[in-house]
Amino acid sequence: MNQIATITNTVVQEILGESAIVNEDLSNIVDIGTQIFNAQAFDAYVKTLVNHIGKTIFVDRPYSGAAPRVLMDGWEYGSVLEKISSELPTAVENESWNLVDGQTYDPHVFYQPKASAKFFNKRTTFEIDRSITELQVKQSFSNAQQLNAFLSMLQNETQKALTVRMDGLVMRTINNMIVETVKNGFGDAPISSNSSVKAVNLLYLYNQRFGETLTASEAILTPAFIRFAALQIALYSDRLTRMSVSFNVGASQRFTPKEYQHIVYLSEFSRAADVYLQSDVFHNDLTRFPQGETVPYWQGNGKNYLFENTGKISAIPVSEADKDNPTPYTVTGVVAVIFDRDALGVANLDRRVTTQYNAKAEFTNYFYKQDAGYFNDLNENFVVFFIA
């Protein structure tokens, strides 16, 4: 027990405005907890009675994950995902308006359609093992309800561990598509000195058009640049609805209707638009970004959430994996992506749990297993927006 009468008097004076804000020793008020029961947990009367636990709180909060939604329907048998597509047929001359007397017109010519099939058969798996016991831990709780709550908490922690890993793998699926797209657009050239049709350097385009010299860190907080970025992203959303070979690495004939478009923003970028742009206009529906999901970072936060970390991706793309000396490719300042719903995904996610009881030591092992196929289709539309 800590006496805090003096502190409360000071707090009231600060609240009422009777005194200035002073340094407060909150260690006398706030308990940050101890990991183990310490040796001083005795009563203040006879100094020998052990303090009893009056209330128990279990940290059992579910975690739903925050990665973009790219899950596909699963299937029970077979492993291969087959994706079939066809090309646009070519036009031929309509001879109905150029008839010649005595000329033969053959209607029995066979025109073979051009179609192709892609097969995705790469799967990943991992497992989390956990041992659970009831007999040995009963002595730590007062009743069955507390014991069940504790065991439920352990199960929930395992599910959260699976979800966190799943989120990370989903983001790596998106990251590889980003790297593949930018690498295809720039090759070995520096990405800061140009822009391509499917790897759009918003900062380069803005500085070139308006004769500015904004840096990446300045641009993300500049209303004029954010308006320009909103315009470009909205334009690309419109352009993707038309048939083109320009917006995918495979140069395939593709179009992506608005309802099939998946847009993901770096939250640092979308929030900057809300604060520095939308709050300063009367008709924010005209400057608002197309609706999409947000992520706090693409690969990691770098421990400090600076833009040079949250917008950065450095990875060895799958296209480099079979080479003798695969080299990593780095993209900086990624702020948004627009892609077709069929461009990437997580196929046939399979979560399951198997158990084994150890009768000798009286505990149960739970084996949490997860399989999934993470795929990129470079023939589908995918556009990257970055600031570099």
Side-chain angles (χ1 to χ4, degrees):
M1 289 294 181
N2 292 325
Q3 299 291 343
I4 60 169
T6 303
I7 296 177
T8 59
N9 291 336
T10 302
V11 169
V12 170
Q13 290 176 355
E14 290 174 344
I15 293 174
L16 296 179
E18 296 176 352
S19 70
I21 296 176
V22 299
N23 292 327
E24 298 174 344
D25 182 5
L26 298 182
S27 63
N28 289 324
I29 303 174
V30 181
D31 186 1
I32 61 173
T34 53
Q35 291 291 81
I36 59 175
F37 212 57
N38 59 57
Q40 298 179 350
F42 299 103
D43 73 295
Y45 180 42
V46 296
K47 308 294 185 181
T48 56
L49 301 178
V50 177
N51 294 164
H52 280 228
I53 297 173
K55 181 178 177 62
T56 302
I57 298 176
F58 293 95
V59 182
D60 193 21
R61 182 178 302 170
Y63 182 68
S64 58
R69 297 183 295 273
V70 294
L71 293 178
M72 300 179 62
D73 295 333
W75 56 92
E76 185 175 359
Y77 297 100
S79 64
V80 178
L81 169 64
E82 181 183 15
K83 192 174 182 182
I84 301 175
S85 60
S86 62
E87 296 182 10
L88 293 175
T90 57
V92 297
E93 183 179 349
N94 179 2
E95 296 175 319
S96 300
W97 307 102
N98 193 25
L99 298 178
V100 178
D101 183 32
Q103 178 72 41
T104 299
Y105 300 93
D106 187 3
H108 302 293
V109 177
F110 173 67
Y111 302 95
Q112 183 181 32
K114 294 182 178 180
S116 61
K118 269 193 173 184
F119 299 92
F120 302 91
N121 194 29
K122 189 174 183 179
R123 301 288 292 277
T124 65
T125 183
F126 64 89
E127 177 180 317
I128 295 177
D129 300 337
R130 194 139 211 188
S131 299
I132 300 293
T133 178
E134 293 186 14
L135 178 67
Q136 295 90 331
V137 81
K138 281 183 177 180
Q139 60 188 354
S140 299
F141 299 101
S142 302
N143 50 55
Q145 287 75 20
Q146 287 187 350
L147 174 62
N148 289 335
F150 174 73
L151 297 178
S152 175
M153 179 192 69
L154 297 181
Q155 299 281 2
N156 185 34
E157 287 299 317
T158 305
Q159 293 300 325
K160 285 191 284 188
L162 290 169
T163 301
V164 170
R165 286 161 175 77
M166 180 71 179
D167 280 3
L169 292 172
V170 168
M171 288 307 304
R172 268 59 189 172
T173 303
I174 297 175
N175 290 350
N176 185 75
M177 198 71 169
I178 292 174
V179 171
E180 297 280 10
T181 301
V182 178
K183 180 174 176 287
N184 177 262
F186 289 87
D188 295 328
I191 65 174
S192 60
S193 59
N194 209 337
S195 181
S196 77
V197 68
K198 55 184 173 288
V200 185
N201 188 343
L202 295 169
L203 181 59
Y204 174 83
L205 294 178
Y206 178 83
N207 284 340
Q208 288 293 309
R209 176 169 297 187
F210 299 104
E212 299 286 349
T213 57
L214 283 180
T215 64
S217 58
E218 293 171 341
I220 202 170
L221 304 178
T222 302
F225 172 80
I226 297 174
R227 282 194 292 271
F228 175 79
L231 169 64
Q232 296 304 313
I233 294 174
L235 285 174
Y236 267 86
S237 180
D238 293 339
R239 291 166 182 165
L240 287 171
T241 63
R242 297 294 186 265
M243 186 74 72
S244 175
V245 298
S246 300
F247 305 119
N248 58 79
V249 172
S252 299
Q253 301 164 346
R254 293 292 187 269
F255 73 101
T256 305
K258 292 289 182 80
E259 61 270 24
Y260 288 177
Q261 293 179 14
H262 204 139
I263 306 178
V264 183
Y265 299 100
L266 183 67
S267 60
E268 192 168 345
F269 183 57
S270 64
R271 293 301 183 189
D274 292 339
V275 174
Y276 291 94
L277 180 58
Q278 306 296 0
S279 61
D280 198 35
V281 296
F282 292 105
H283 301 287
N284 55 10
D285 55 314
L286 300 178
T287 58
R288 183 179 292 115
F289 288 165
Q291 186 174 1
E293 296 181 84
T294 61
V295 293
Y297 47 77
W298 302 103
Q299 186 169 333
N301 59 37
K303 295 184 179 181
N304 53 21
Y305 284 94
L306 293 177
F307 179 59
E308 53 261 35
N309 294 318
T310 59
K312 181 180 179 180
I313 300 169
S314 183
I316 296 176
V318 175
S319 60
E320 291 273 335
D322 294 332
K323 297 182 179 179
D324 293 334
N325 295 306
T327 56
Y329 193 86
T330 300
V331 185
T332 58
V334 179
V335 293
V337 294
I338 303 180
F339 56 90
D340 192 286
R341 71 175 189 182
D342 294 333
L344 57 88
V346 180
N348 204 19
L349 176 65
D350 180 18
R351 278 189 180 182
R352 61 197 182 279
V353 183
T354 58
T355 61
Q356 176 66 51
Y357 179 68
N358 187 313
K360 178 176 176 59
E362 296 185 271
F363 66 88
T364 302
N365 277 335
Y366 290 79
F367 308 100
Y368 297 82
K369 306 171 186 290
Q370 180 165 302
D371 305 334
Y374 303 86
F375 74 91
N376 285 173
D377 188 350
L378 300 181
N379 288 336
E380 298 291 350
N381 287 338
F382 192 99
V383 179
V384 182
F385 301 92
F386 64 95
I387 301 173

